[in-house]
């Protein structure tokens, strides 16, 4: 087994959680999932609020993750880095490089918050699942952070230009995305060149925002709205709240 000289590799990825096996996180492949600590946004429907803060010490040592993955080489196809927001961590590039060297395909799930760090790791990534939460001009309504749509636009453009396989997705709640706003967002993404788009129905599980939970509408968005959005994309899918998957 390889001996990882972590002192020579500098700063280590701050890991807040680890799932050893997932059949749904990386499309079509069996993967392990690494949850990276930290996210600067406070979206009301976030289901991983425990990962938003970055503690002084990593709850799970990176060397232990590497050892575990080495033992699972041949049993897994891929490793997915998510969060939190993985591109918040300065050690992401090094961590992905180490895992890729083991022979795993690399998946990355991102909210597109840090475009420069995202651009630096895209050449190492085989698949990206990225969130676009609302129209770029209205981002602060969801994230609570002014001007948070600008880095998302830049990140989306970088992903599309890179040629990496991807899935673009939006979580939909009627209080945050009215039918008109959702249609506007879909048209904007299609104009940018997005071809694979998924709408995810809001899930109350894990949501700490009681207002969002109370205002959820089963079956939103409705079929008439979906019929207008679907033709904009080569691949289009809707994940309902009771449906298994990401």
């Amino acid at each position: 087994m390889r001996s990882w000289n972590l002192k020579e590799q500098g700063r280590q990825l701050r890991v807040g959680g680890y799932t050893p096996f997932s059949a749904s996180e990386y499309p079509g492949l069996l993967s392990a999932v690494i949850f990276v600590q930290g996210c600067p946004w406070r979206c009301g429907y976030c289901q991983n609020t425990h990962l938003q803060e970055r503690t002084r010490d990593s709850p799970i040592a990176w060397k232990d993750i590497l050892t575990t993955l080495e033992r699972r080489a041949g049993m897994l196809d891929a490793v997915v880095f998510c969060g939190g927001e993985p591109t918040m961590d300065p050690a992401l590039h090094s961590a992905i490089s180490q895992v890729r060297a083991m022979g795993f395909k690399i998946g990355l799930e991102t909210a597109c918050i840090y475009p420069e760090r995202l651009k630096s790791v895209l050449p190492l990534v085989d698949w990206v699942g990225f969130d676009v939460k609302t129209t770029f001009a209205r981002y602060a309504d969801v994230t609570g952070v002014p001007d948070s749509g600008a880095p998302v636009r830049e990140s989306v453009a970088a992903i599309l230009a890179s040629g990496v396989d991807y899935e673009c997705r939006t979580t939909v709640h009627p209080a945050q995305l009215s039918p008109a706003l959702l249609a506007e967002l879909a048209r904007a993404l299609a104009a940018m060149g997005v071809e694979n788009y998924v709408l995810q129905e809001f899930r109350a599980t894990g949501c700490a925002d009681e207002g969002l939970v109370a205002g959820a509408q089963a079956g939103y968005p409705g079929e008439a709205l979906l019929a207008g959005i679907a033709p904009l994309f080569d691949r289009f899918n809707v994940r309902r709240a009771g449906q298994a998957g990401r």
Side-chain angles (χ1 to χ4, degrees):
M1 182 172 293
R2 186 177 308 180
S3 176
W4 296 99
N5 191 338
L6 297 177
K7 289 184 178 180
E8 290 183 3
Q9 294 164 2
R11 188 175 295 171
Q12 304 305 306
L13 194 73
R14 205 165 298 179
V15 181
Y18 174 74
T19 298
F21 296 102
S22 172
S24 62
E25 210 68 26
Y26 191 115
L29 298 180
L30 185 64
S31 66
V33 185
I34 297 170
F35 294 86
V36 182
Q37 268 198 335
C39 182
W41 291 349
R42 296 297 180 264
C43 305
Y45 51 67
C46 181
Q47 296 180 325
N48 289 331
T49 55
H50 62 289
L51 294 170
Q52 290 175 347
E53 299 297 332
R54 280 175 69 82
T55 59
R56 182 179 297 273
D57 298 314
S58 180
I60 303 175
W62 178 238
K63 65 180 179 63
D64 293 340
I65 296 291
L66 291 175
T67 299
T68 298
L69 290 175
E70 269 200 327
R71 291 171 178 165
R72 292 204 161 94
M75 301 169 61
L76 297 170
D77 305 302
V79 175
V80 178
F81 292 79
C82 62
E85 172 50 50
T87 61
M88 186 177 188
D89 198 310
L92 180 64
H93 190 286
S94 173
I96 288 177
S97 297
Q98 292 169 51
V99 174
R100 190 174 184 84
M102 297 181 188
F104 294 107
K105 287 186 175 294
I106 302 296
L108 177 68
E109 296 191 341
T110 178
C112 297
I113 304 177
Y114 299 98
E116 293 307 317
R117 192 165 289 147
L118 174 62
K119 292 173 189 177
S120 77
V121 301
L122 278 175
L124 303 175
V125 171
D126 300 288
W127 173 84
V128 180
F130 64 95
D131 298 324
V132 180
K133 300 175 183 296
T134 185
T135 58
F136 302 119
R138 300 286 295 272
Y139 242 75
D141 295 347
V142 177
T143 66
V145 178
D147 301 320
S148 46
V152 179
R153 186 196 298 272
E154 182 179 349
S155 295
V156 172
I159 293 168
L160 297 177
S162 73
V164 69
D165 193 19
Y166 69 86
E167 175 184 278
C168 175
R169 55 212 185 195
T170 299
T171 297
V172 288
H173 188 289
Q176 294 183 330
L177 277 171
S178 67
L181 195 59
L182 180 54
E184 179 185 345
L185 172 60
R187 289 192 297 267
L189 292 173
M192 290 186 72
V194 170
E195 297 179 349
N196 182 17
Y197 190 40
V198 175
L199 296 181
Q200 301 182 144
E201 188 177 56
F202 167 81
R203 299 183 184 187
T205 305
C207 177
D209 189 317
E210 295 180 0
L212 288 180
V213 172
Q217 297 177 14
Y220 181 81
E223 293 304 318
L225 178 56
L226 296 177
I229 293 175
L232 298 172
F233 304 96
D234 289 349
R235 289 180 286 170
F236 178 71
N237 192 23
V238 180
R239 294 196 183 105
R240 295 297 182 183
Q243 184 179 352
R246 290 178 299 281

